[in-house]
Amino acid sequence: MSKACRCSSAHRARRSGAAVFGGAINTTSKFARLDDFTTAQVAGGSADLARATLDLNRNVGATTAVRLNVMAHQSGLADIDNAESERWGASAAIGFGIGTDTSLEALYFHQSDDRVPYYGVPVVAAPGQLAAPLPVDRSTFYGTEHDRDQTEADVLTVRIAHQANDWLELHNDTRVGVFAREFMAVAPNCNNTAPSTCLTDFFDGNDATVPLVTRGGASGPYYLDQWGIQNITTAIADFEAGG
């Protein structure tokens, strides 16, 4: 579902629908502005964190501007072996008629994410006791070298705005998106068919009945190829009624 909000044209927040990474609900697209500025940030931290961003905007005419955003990010997971994330993104925008009664703006966005997912430490409970983490080092990774979560998104947004008169604004937004994902993650499973038998064998202290653990939790890679298009026309009327 898409919605339009009552905002100024320079700061209008656009719902990004299927183009959202990480469960975001509301994002503000970085369209071009009638201003010259450059913003660069570099960050580092624990768990091999490294991140760099660049935001460059240039006014190239009385009502025309261009904008470029670039982001690169990599990080691990504190005290966890093998889990990591690498992603990068870029967007390019151009605007015509900015600040006038009629404007046309376009923005192209790309983001790529390549990470190794991590689903925590399995827990096991002896018969009659509450579940507790296994007595292993916290850094233990329970996935495999084949685990992956790779995503790609390419999104083009075009919006037209027109100030018809003092009290009526018209907007038309079109967005086309192409998305791809490849995902695989497995977890250790007891090979016994009955969980109760697995637990009994695990805690009975008998070397002859030690249960075998196999990789499970996924039958194979998951692939997604998806595209979408949406067009939203909005009219905003601002007037007094009833005094």
Side-chain angles (χ1 to χ4, degrees):
M1 179 176 66
S2 299
K3 299 180 179 178
C5 64
R6 181 73 164 91
C7 315
S8 67
S9 59
H11 299 87
R12 185 169 290 109
R14 294 298 179 187
R15 275 64 174 171
S16 56
V20 175
F21 278 80
I25 296 174
N26 193 15
T27 62
T28 300
S29 300
K30 295 188 175 182
F31 284 90
R33 293 155 41 180
L34 290 179
D35 195 5
D36 288 345
F37 62 83
T38 302
T39 303
Q41 295 182 334
V42 177
S46 59
D48 300 323
L49 170 65
R51 179 180 177 87
T53 62
L54 173 67
D55 188 356
L56 177 68
N57 193 98
R58 289 293 181 268
N59 186 358
V60 295
T63 62
T64 304
V66 294
R67 188 172 184 178
L68 174 67
N69 275 268
V70 181
M71 176 275 296
H73 176 105
Q74 72 171 27
S75 64
L77 193 59
D79 298 330
I80 302 298
D81 295 336
N82 300 324
E84 60 183 5
S85 174
E86 295 182 357
R87 60 183 181 267
W88 71 274
S91 68
I94 187 169
F96 304 96
I98 302 175
T100 67
D101 289 343
T102 302
S103 62
L104 171 65
E105 299 174 276
L107 182 144
Y108 170 75
F109 164 83
H110 172 85
Q111 181 162 312
S112 174
D113 192 352
D114 184 359
R115 69 185 186 93
V116 177
Y118 175 69
Y119 288 96
V121 177
V123 297
V124 64
Q129 297 183 5
L130 297 176
L134 291 171
V136 296
D137 190 271
R138 182 183 185 277
S139 64
T140 304
F141 178 72
Y142 287 88
T144 73
E145 62 180 4
H146 303 294
D147 290 3
R148 59 193 179 276
D149 190 359
Q150 300 170 340
T151 56
E152 299 276 348
D154 291 276
V155 182
L156 174 65
T157 303
V158 178
R159 68 186 194 186
I160 302 172
H162 177 63
Q163 185 75 42
N165 50 45
D166 292 340
W167 56 272
L168 180 62
E169 296 178 46
L170 302 174
H171 303 273
N172 182 269
D173 293 56
T174 300
R175 170 166 289 173
V176 180
V178 180
F179 316 98
R181 185 184 187 192
E182 181 179 345
F183 175 84
M184 178 156 183
V186 299
N189 284 343
C190 184
N191 69 330
N192 296 73
T193 57
S196 59
T197 302
C198 182
L199 290 178
T200 301
D201 292 346
F202 187 81
F203 288 102
D204 64 6
N206 185 353
D207 292 340
T209 60
V210 173
L212 297 177
V213 175
T214 58
R215 298 293 181 182
S219 58
Y222 164 78
Y223 300 97
L224 170 69
D225 289 294
Q226 175 181 312
W227 67 273
I229 182 170
Q230 64 181 10
N231 179 270
I232 303 173
T233 299
T234 307
I236 301 175
D238 185 3
F239 57 90
E240 295 183 3

